[in-house]
């Protein structure tokens, strides 16, 4: 696919996917959703870590309400089913870790696009806004799933009902995101995190993602069995053998991702 609304850059095992519609704060239209879906799916088979970020002052401002001549006539259920679900599930099902590097405002579906990623790193001037009730809607794009699980029901309710801006500092304090970095250091921080994953034990990282996400639907016994199954698989990898050997030889491991 030739991308027009995003870019993809590959760097040493990393696939950096950048939303590139800065004139509309990287608002999501039909084409961008399709391109993100395609890029994440392809990168999951080609890279060892995926980074999703934005160009300009926003990460993503959500649904592009100017994408159609009459926004009031949008078929939102069909759009969510046919366009948002494939995009979000491409991230969830991506076999390698996906980092959201939130470089600025993340509003509406843009906020929830970030939250569905495996790890969220935000610059200190970023903000998260569940803006849906401002235009008479409910949170979508996975927000009703991600928010209660990351910040609890009370805070999720408040974020949805009041549609207040949540600063990166507040999001960090609440446990909504993994890490906040100063604006000056932001790119170096997320790049360092991505490089760590790209040079690490990829097969273990894949199974961390799988087992953590499965825990929400499993009872304890089911989860313990899954842990055992996946740990057994990890124990057969080349990276496990390298990790143990490096430990015994008191040196840094050199993981090949297999």
């Amino acid at each position: 696919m030739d991308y027009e609304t995003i870019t993809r850059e590959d760097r040493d095992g990393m696939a950096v996917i950048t939303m590139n519609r800065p004139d509309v704060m990287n608002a999501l239209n039909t084409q961008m959703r399709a391109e993100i879906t395609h890029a994440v799916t392809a990168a999951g088979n080609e890279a060892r870590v995926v980074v999703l970020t934005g160009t300009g002052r926003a990460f993503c401002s959500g649904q592009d309400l100017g994408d159609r001549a009459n926004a009031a006539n949008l078929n939102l259920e069909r759009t969510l089913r046919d366009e948002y679900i494939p995009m979000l599930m491409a991230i969830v099902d991506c076999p390698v870790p996906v980092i959201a590097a939130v470089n600025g405002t993340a509003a509406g579906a843009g906020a929830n696009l970030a939250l569905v990623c495996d790890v969220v790193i935000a610059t200190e001037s970023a903000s998260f806004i569940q803006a849906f009730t401002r235009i008479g809607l409910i949170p979508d794009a996975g927000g009703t799933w991600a928010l209660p699980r990351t910040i609890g029901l009370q805070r999720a309710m408040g974020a949805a009902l009041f549609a207040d801006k949540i600063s990166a500092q507040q999001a960090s304090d609440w446990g909504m995101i993994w890490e906040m970095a100063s604006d000056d250091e932001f790119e170096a921080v997320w790049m360092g995190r991505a490089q760590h994953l790209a040079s690490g034990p990829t097969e273990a990282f894949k199974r961390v993602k799988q087992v953590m996400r499965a825990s929400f639907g499993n009872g304890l016994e089911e989860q313990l069995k899954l842990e055992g199954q996946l740990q057994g698989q990890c124990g057969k990898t080349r990276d496990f053998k390298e990790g143990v050997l490096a430990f015994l030889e008191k040196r840094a491991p050199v993981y090949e991702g297999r």
Side-chain angles (χ1 to χ4, degrees), residues 165-188:
K165 180 185 293 188
I166 299 169
S167 68
Q169 182 65 63
Q170 192 171 20
S172 179
D173 292 343
W174 283 2
M176 182 187 293
I177 65 175
W178 166 250
E179 188 171 15
M180 181 189 71
S182 69
D183 292 349
D184 291 341
E185 297 177 347
F186 171 65
E187 184 171 357

Side-chain angles (χ1 to χ4, degrees), residues 245-252:
L245 187 61
F247 175 79
L248 295 174
E249 295 178 351
K250 296 181 171 57
R251 61 172 174 81

Side-chain angles (χ1 to χ4, degrees), residues 4-232:
E4 297 180 7
T5 67
I6 67 171
T7 63
R8 174 180 163 177
E9 181 182 357
D10 296 312
R11 319 174 188 174
D12 300 323
M14 298 181 289
V16 181
I17 298 168
T18 304
M19 293 175 281
N20 192 30
R21 302 182 72 214
D23 53 322
V24 290
M25 297 178 68
N26 300 320
L28 294 159
N29 61 9
T30 294
Q31 183 174 358
M32 181 182 276
R33 288 188 287 272
E35 291 184 2
I36 292 172
T37 302
H38 181 276
V40 171
T41 302
N45 296 316
E46 299 162 357
R48 294 170 70 178
V49 63
V50 177
V51 178
L52 182 63
T53 191
T55 299
R57 62 192 179 94
F59 173 76
C60 176
S61 59
Q63 169 69 31
D64 186 352
L65 295 177
D67 193 26
R68 307 274 182 94
N70 187 353
N73 291 328
L74 278 170
N75 186 327
L76 294 176
E77 182 177 4
R78 183 177 63 196
T79 300
L80 288 167
R81 182 189 65 231
D82 296 345
E83 299 178 18
Y84 277 93
I85 289 177
M87 176 181 67
L88 299 168
M89 293 310 298
I91 293 170
V92 172
D93 293 337
C94 182
V96 299
V98 181
I99 296 174
V102 179
N103 55 293
T105 301
N112 297 332
L113 175 63
L115 296 179
V116 81
C117 295
D118 300 309
V119 174
V120 183
I121 300 172
T123 191
E124 64 182 344
S125 60
S127 59
F128 300 82
I129 312 168
Q130 295 295 320
F132 300 92
T133 56
R134 295 184 182 184
I135 55 172
L137 296 176
I138 66 169
D140 61 24
T144 60
W145 186 92
L147 283 170
R149 285 166 170 77
T150 54
I151 61 176
L153 183 60
Q154 275 294 306
R155 285 172 172 162
M157 280 288 193
L161 293 172
F162 298 117
D164 288 348
K165 180 185 293 188
I166 299 169
S167 68
Q169 182 65 63
Q170 192 171 20
S172 179
D173 292 343
W174 283 2
M176 182 187 293
I177 65 175
W178 166 250
E179 188 171 15
M180 181 189 71
S182 69
D183 292 349
D184 291 341
E185 297 177 347
F186 171 65
E187 184 171 357
V189 169
W190 71 251
M191 183 76 70
R193 291 293 192 183
Q195 288 171 339
H196 172 84
L197 296 178
S199 61
T202 304
E203 292 300 320
F205 292 156
K206 290 178 179 179
R207 288 164 177 80
V208 166
K209 179 170 180 172
Q210 181 182 349
V211 75
M212 289 293 187
R213 289 193 178 276
S215 69
F216 290 108
N218 285 345
L220 176 59
E221 186 174 2
E222 274 184 299
Q223 191 69 10
L224 291 172
K225 288 179 180 177
L226 181 60
E227 285 179 3
Q229 175 189 343
L230 297 181
Q231 195 73 296

